[in-house]
Amino acid sequence: NTFFTFNGNNSNSDTKIGISTLLMPEGLNIHLLPHTKLLGEEFRINNNNYINIRKNNAISADIRTFDKHNSGLHLYTVEDSAAINDITLELFNINLGKLTTKLPFTPNLSGTLNSSIHLRNETEGMVLSGDIISDSLSYEGNYIGNEIAEIVYLPKQKNNHILSLMLYHNNKEYLNIYGDYNDGIINGNATLTKLPLKVMNTFTKESNLNINGYIDGDLSLNGPLSTPSSNGFIQFDSVYVDAPMLGSQIKLVNDKVNIKDSKIKFNNFKIFAKGDTPFKVDGDIDITHIVSPSFNLTMQAKNYELINAPRQKKSVIYGKLILDINAAITGPVESLNVYGNATVLGSTNVTYVMPENNLATNNELDGLVEFVNFNDSIQTDVENTNDFGNTTMSIMLNIEEGA
């Protein structure tokens, strides 16, 4: 009999588990003592609980644990001659708010979690199926909604696998992924249906950006796993971004962006700000190598009213900023070339108010940039540098008289 005790900084994180083990010729028998403490909460465990691990790695188990709020888990197996193991893990009524406050390095979540995960070890391999359900989920105090994930993984043969994933928001399916992997060749499809972009506002709260609208889309992947060919489209539906700092609402035209032969193609794609003249994007992004996309884009705008905001009590920026833009982005992401020109038109009259707390004293920026000689053997603190590639940028800024 062994007791495992973990004492945290306070009684809310204390854990105490009692385990009784019996080593036998046919395997190992494990029994948990009925009273336990997990993260400061008292739990009851069924008296006849057990986990038996036999020599052929076959597992049988029945463990049910619950607290006074009827939160807990159930781990159990089903005897089946067709499978070595048939294991189910169920989580029920898990209070995410209480859980995340007691776990270090976790974001502040709230809501209720329920889940059922089923593992079945068959001749072809391990079969996985299950769902994760979170009701009234919030992140850092920002409400998200009811979220559901369903997953199925099936091995058909040694080198043949099938994966299915479905995601739901407020009981409406928005993502469906199905893939078949066979001896290095992938054949998959992903479908987006009314993906609600407002969910992203939960994670961009501090930027004061407000994203709304929906995205539909369809993407197929076919070919070798290293360089599959992708085809499909992305459809924007009433997508806009409120940018209070600019006093503008950035609107994406309700248009379809096609993906053909692993290239995302932009054909006179329009982005509107305050005025009626658009910012136009043409060209393509090659995603043959998804970790290293290659850009070939041109961007143009005439008389583009990026900012048009009245002066208010707490305005950071106000007035009008009107631009002509002619620019291009070319090359792979690790070696980009950005060049062009931007003209601030004479009809511009814009003011930026610098907050007082942004004013730096003479030494506040010390150490922000340090020059290091990598050939200097005395320097030892250079192991954590990262190479993000090179960007060559040449932008000519013209300001017309009267601006």
Side-chain angles (χ1 to χ4, degrees):
N1 292 335
T2 303
F3 281 95
F4 293 93
T5 302
F6 307 94
N7 295 316
N9 295 330
N10 54 65
S11 60
N12 289 330
S13 56
D14 290 348
T15 295
K16 185 176 183 180
I17 304 173
I19 299 177
S20 174
T21 58
L22 180 62
L23 184 62
M24 303 178 68
E26 62 271 19
L28 179 66
N29 296 340
I30 300 173
H31 174 76
L32 302 181
L33 302 187
H35 293 279
T36 190
K37 192 174 186 179
L38 299 174
L39 299 175
E41 294 286 338
E42 298 287 344
F43 280 84
R44 288 277 303 172
I45 304 177
N46 55 316
N47 291 323
N48 57 344
N49 73 83
Y50 66 90
I51 301 177
N52 297 332
I53 305 174
R54 294 186 284 277
K55 284 186 175 180
N56 62 349
N57 291 325
I59 298 173
S60 60
D62 183 16
I63 296 179
R64 285 167 290 167
T65 177
F66 51 91
D67 64 6
K68 62 182 180 180
H69 305 292
N70 198 31
S71 300
L73 64 83
H74 188 192
L75 175 69
Y76 63 93
T77 58
V78 176
E79 297 298 328
D80 190 335
S81 58
I84 299 174
N85 291 312
D86 195 319
I87 306 171
T88 300
L89 173 64
E90 296 177 351
L91 301 175
F92 48 90
N93 297 327
I94 304 299
N95 188 318
L96 292 174
K98 284 187 176 181
L99 181 63
T100 55
T101 56
K102 297 175 182 179
L103 292 176
F105 313 115
T106 56
N108 178 22
L109 299 176
S110 64
T112 303
L113 176 68
N114 291 276
S115 180
S116 178
I117 305 296
H118 184 205
L119 295 172
R120 181 180 170 89
N121 195 357
E122 298 183 347
T123 306
E124 294 82 4
M126 183 68 75
V127 177
L128 168 67
S129 63
D131 56 51
I132 301 173
I133 303 172
S134 56
D135 293 326
S136 301
L137 180 65
S138 292
Y139 175 87
E140 297 293 347
N142 302 308
Y143 183 76
I144 298 176
N146 300 323
E147 309 299 318
I148 300 175
E150 296 179 354
I151 186 170
V152 176
Y153 165 75
L154 299 172
K156 294 176 66 177
Q157 298 172 0
K158 184 177 181 181
N159 293 318
N160 188 213
H161 311 270
I162 293 176
L163 174 68
S164 175
L165 173 66
M166 290 171 286
L167 299 180
Y168 299 82
H169 173 70
N170 291 338
N171 300 318
K172 293 182 179 179
E173 180 185 302
Y174 67 87
L175 177 62
N176 189 316
I177 296 176
Y178 178 86
D180 187 333
Y181 175 82
N182 189 358
D183 200 19
I185 303 298
I186 188 172
N187 183 11
N189 192 82
T191 302
L192 280 173
T193 306
K194 290 285 185 182
L195 171 65
L197 295 179
K198 66 180 181 180
V199 173
M200 297 176 59
N201 295 326
T202 302
F203 309 100
T204 60
K205 202 78 172 180
E206 293 184 1
S207 67
N208 290 324
L209 295 177
N210 184 29
I211 307 171
N212 277 282
Y214 302 89
I215 292 181
D216 294 292
D218 190 87
L219 179 67
S220 64
L221 291 175
N222 305 95
L225 184 62
S226 57
T227 55
S229 176
S230 54
N231 293 276
F233 70 89
I234 301 172
Q235 176 75 56
F236 296 97
D237 182 1
S238 306
V239 175
Y240 66 88
V241 180
D242 281 324
M245 182 177 178
L246 298 179
S248 294
Q249 186 181 85
I250 308 299
K251 295 171 286 187
L252 275 62
V253 68
N254 290 347
D255 207 351
K256 181 184 290 186
V257 176
N258 290 309
I259 303 170
K260 186 176 182 180
D261 297 331
S262 299
K263 288 186 176 181
I264 304 174
K265 295 182 174 292
F266 295 88
N267 183 16
N268 199 29
F269 186 77
K270 299 174 182 176
I271 302 172
F272 290 88
K274 200 72 175 181
D276 296 326
T277 56
F279 181 94
K280 299 178 183 179
V281 181
D282 286 280
D284 58 62
I285 303 175
D286 192 333
I287 55 173
T288 301
H289 302 281
I290 193 65
V291 297
S292 180
S294 185
F295 293 78
N296 183 23
L297 298 175
T298 61
M299 295 157 288
Q300 291 183 327
K302 282 284 188 181
N303 204 34
Y304 190 63
E305 199 171 319
L306 179 62
I307 298 174
N308 187 342
R311 181 174 185 175
Q312 297 177 347
K313 186 176 181 180
K314 295 184 179 180
S315 292
V316 175
I317 193 166
Y318 60 89
K320 287 185 179 183
L321 175 59
I322 304 173
L323 305 167
D324 282 352
I325 299 170
N326 188 2
I329 300 177
T330 62
V333 69
E334 66 272 10
S335 184
L336 280 178
N337 295 296
V338 182
Y339 54 90
N341 60 72
T343 300
V344 180
L345 300 184
S347 52
T348 292
N349 186 355
V350 66
T351 301
Y352 171 69
V353 182
M354 181 178 291
E356 290 184 5
N357 57 1
N358 283 354
L359 296 174
T361 60
N362 289 335
N363 61 355
E364 275 187 344
L365 300 181
D366 288 353
L368 179 63
V369 176
E370 293 184 5
F371 294 92
V372 176
N373 181 357
F374 289 92
N375 295 320
D376 189 348
S377 60
I378 299 176
Q379 288 284 350
T380 59
D381 189 23
V382 296
E383 292 85 357
N384 294 325
T385 60
N386 292 302
D387 186 359
F388 293 103
N390 304 296
T391 298
T392 301
M393 180 179 291
S394 178
I395 299 292
M396 177 69 72
L397 178 63
N398 306 299
I399 302 177
E400 290 186 349
E401 284 195 32

